[in-house]
């Protein structure tokens, strides 16, 4: 058993930790001041490739690392891998590892991320029931893709749609099962959902909407999925993308305010002095939309990791960022900015039957969210700018794809 002390300590070895370490070095952080304690077996790595290029076999383990091991050695950043923490004493500024090691800190950044929601049905523990969250998860799915023939994907969110596209491109008989009446319902407009549904079906993916898994059949490994409609879908693998849960269990009795994650203010500060939280686990005050929100995506983890490094080094400006998502499926790439909650109008621009269109959600004459796929750069640029600046936009001008998108903005 040993005890280590740090001026700044990050708990969690995901993207927040990786980008915080990079920014800490870039801003002149002192060598030896920063430590990272991680339950993971790998150094901080990029998550987007896990359901895209890494899953397709185009990236390897080394290429997805945010920084190689030499970076941490050269800058005297102590990274403890395979080190799960079992007890926290935030007022005493102490973490206790499961193996008996202790870690003291002056300032702590909680970046424990999230864990996958798991299926709760008969057969859910059979070999071949898989989830995608970590690099180890992606490794396991890759092996199954190389040997499998029939895949059932549960869930039509980002992960489900990305994994389904990879399975289909690998030549597997692919079925996408989801309880909603259309794909991507949480984010897409009905018109966008219709486009993607046809796109997937044209590429051999069977869509089963309005269905839930009743059970998974098999003696030792997956053989079929039975739905609540009594339909039976043969399969040799099931990949569930049914959401994640913020990893807060370690802090339930710590005094931290917890509500759909660890609640922090616009400076990522918790209600305990000297303790910050960032990334998927943080329910932060979004100053642009004036509401608490928790975001589960690469951009948020990256930006909050960088922001946290600045906070450790004495900077204090509110975290300000337009929520941003991106995805790659088959040969398509698209981006989404903002929050469509409460929108009173959706404007589509371009040809919805092609793979080049955009959608704009508006509330009281202002754009609050935008989806952009294969469109001119002025649309990409306008999306983030308009949302951040709360610009007034004429919807009629926005809908006219024959005119430049910026012509729709009204004088303020």
């Amino acid at each position: 058993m040993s005890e280590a002390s740090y001026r700044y300590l990050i708990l969690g070895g995901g993207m927040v930790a990786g980008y915080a370490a990079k920014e800490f070095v870039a801003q002149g952080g002192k060598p030896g001041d920063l430590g990272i304690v991680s339950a993971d077996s790998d150094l901080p790595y990029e998550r987007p490739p896990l359901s895209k290029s890494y899953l397709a076999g185009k990236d390897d383990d080394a290429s997805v690392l945010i920084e190689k091991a030499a970076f941490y050695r050269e800058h005297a950043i102590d990274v403890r891998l395979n080190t799960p923490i079992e007890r926290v004493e935030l007022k005493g500024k102490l973490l206790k590892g499961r193996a008996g090691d202790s870690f003291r800190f002056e300032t702590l950044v909680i970046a424990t991320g999230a864990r996958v929601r798991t299926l709760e049905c008969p057969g859910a523990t059979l070999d071949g029931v898989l989830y995608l969250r970590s690099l180890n998860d992606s490794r396991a799915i890759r092996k199954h893709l190389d040997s499998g023939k029939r895949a059932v994907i549960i869930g039509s969110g980002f992960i489900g749609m990305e994994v389904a596209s990879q399975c289909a491109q690998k030549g597997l008989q692919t079925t996408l099962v989801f309880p909603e009446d259309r794909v991507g319902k949480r984010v897409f407009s009905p018109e966008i959902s219709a486009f993607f549904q046809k796109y997937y079906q044209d590429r051999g993916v069977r869509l089963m909407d309005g269905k839930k898994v009743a059970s998974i059949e098999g003696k030792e490994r997956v053989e079929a999925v039975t739905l609540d409609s009594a339909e039976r879908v043969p399969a040799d693998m099931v990949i569930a993308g049914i959401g994640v849960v913020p990893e807060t269990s370690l802090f339930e009795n710590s005094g931290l305010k917890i509500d759909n994650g660890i609640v922090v203010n616009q400076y990522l500060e918790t209600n305990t002095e000297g303790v910050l939280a960032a990334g998927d686990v943080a329910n932060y005050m979004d100053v642009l939309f004036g509401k608490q929100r928790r975001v589960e995506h690469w951009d948020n983890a990256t930006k909050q990791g960088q922001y946290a490094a600045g906070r450790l080094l004495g900077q204090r400006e509110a975290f300000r960022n337009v929520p941003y998502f991106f995805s790659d499926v088959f040969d398509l790439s698209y981006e989404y900015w903002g929050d469509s909650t409460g929108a009173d109008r959706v404007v589509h621009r371009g040809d919805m039957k092609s793979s080049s269109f955009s959608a704009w959600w508006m509330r009281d004459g202002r754009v609050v969210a935008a989806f952009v796929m294969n469109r001119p750069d002025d649309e990409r640029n306008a999306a983030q700018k308009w949302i951040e600046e709360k610009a007034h936009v004429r919807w009629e001008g926005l809908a006219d794809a024959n005119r430049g998108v910026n012509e729709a903005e009204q004088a303020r």
Side-chain angles (χ1 to χ4, degrees), residues 34-85:
L34 181 63
I36 298 172
V37 174
S38 172
D40 207 322
S41 57
D42 295 285
L43 288 169
Y45 50 83
E46 302 280 8
R47 289 195 185 276
L50 304 188
S51 57
K52 303 178 181 73
S53 54
Y54 183 88
L55 196 58
K58 298 175 183 177
D59 276 326
D60 59 18
D61 291 6
S63 65
V64 299
L65 294 179
I66 295 170
E67 289 290 351
K68 306 295 190 291
F71 168 84
Y72 302 97
R73 289 196 302 270
E74 289 168 6
H75 299 287
I77 298 172
D78 185 23
V79 182
R80 304 290 186 98
L81 300 177
N82 298 302
T83 308
I85 296 299

Side-chain angles (χ1 to χ4, degrees), residues 274-287:
V275 180
L276 311 177
D280 289 6
V281 77
N283 185 344
Y284 73 97
M285 171 50 70
D286 182 340
V287 296

Side-chain angles (χ1 to χ4, degrees), residues 213-363:
V213 175
S215 65
I216 301 172
E217 300 177 23
K219 293 182 179 178
E220 294 183 356
R221 62 170 298 110
V222 172
E223 295 177 9
V225 175
T226 300
L227 304 178
D228 58 356
S229 59
E231 294 168 280
R232 185 178 183 273
V233 185
D236 46 43
M237 75 179 77
V238 172
I239 306 169
I242 54 176
V244 298
V245 179
E247 189 54 85
T248 61
S249 56
L250 188 61
F251 306 99
E252 294 298 336
N253 299 308
S254 67
L256 291 181
K257 184 177 181 182
I258 297 175
D259 181 9
N260 183 29
I262 295 173
V263 178
V264 295
N265 62 15
Q266 66 269 38
Y267 306 106
L268 303 191
E269 298 167 330
T270 70
N271 60 327
T272 298
E273 186 177 356
V275 180
L276 311 177
D280 289 6
V281 77
N283 185 344
Y284 73 97
M285 171 50 70
D286 182 340
V287 296
L288 291 177
F289 284 84
K291 63 190 281 189
Q292 292 286 142
R293 79 166 69 248
R294 192 175 62 80
V295 177
E296 304 159 0
H297 204 269
W298 172 86
D299 178 70
N300 185 68
T302 299
K303 299 280 182 58
Q304 290 195 350
Q306 294 167 333
Y307 175 87
R311 284 298 325 279
L312 295 179
L313 295 174
Q315 298 173 19
R316 188 175 171 79
E317 292 182 5
F319 178 71
R320 185 181 177 89
N321 188 50
V322 175
Y324 169 76
F325 305 84
F326 72 90
S327 186
D328 300 320
V329 294
F330 292 104
D331 56 347
L332 301 176
S333 295
Y334 65 83
E335 298 170 284
Y336 178 95
W337 291 266
D339 179 354
S340 64
T341 303
D344 52 33
R345 184 186 297 276
V346 184
V347 178
H348 295 89
R349 184 177 173 89
D351 183 358
M352 296 298 295
K353 293 181 180 179
S354 75
S355 59
S356 174
F357 58 83
S358 57
W360 307 77
W361 287 261
M362 304 182 69
R363 184 171 65 240

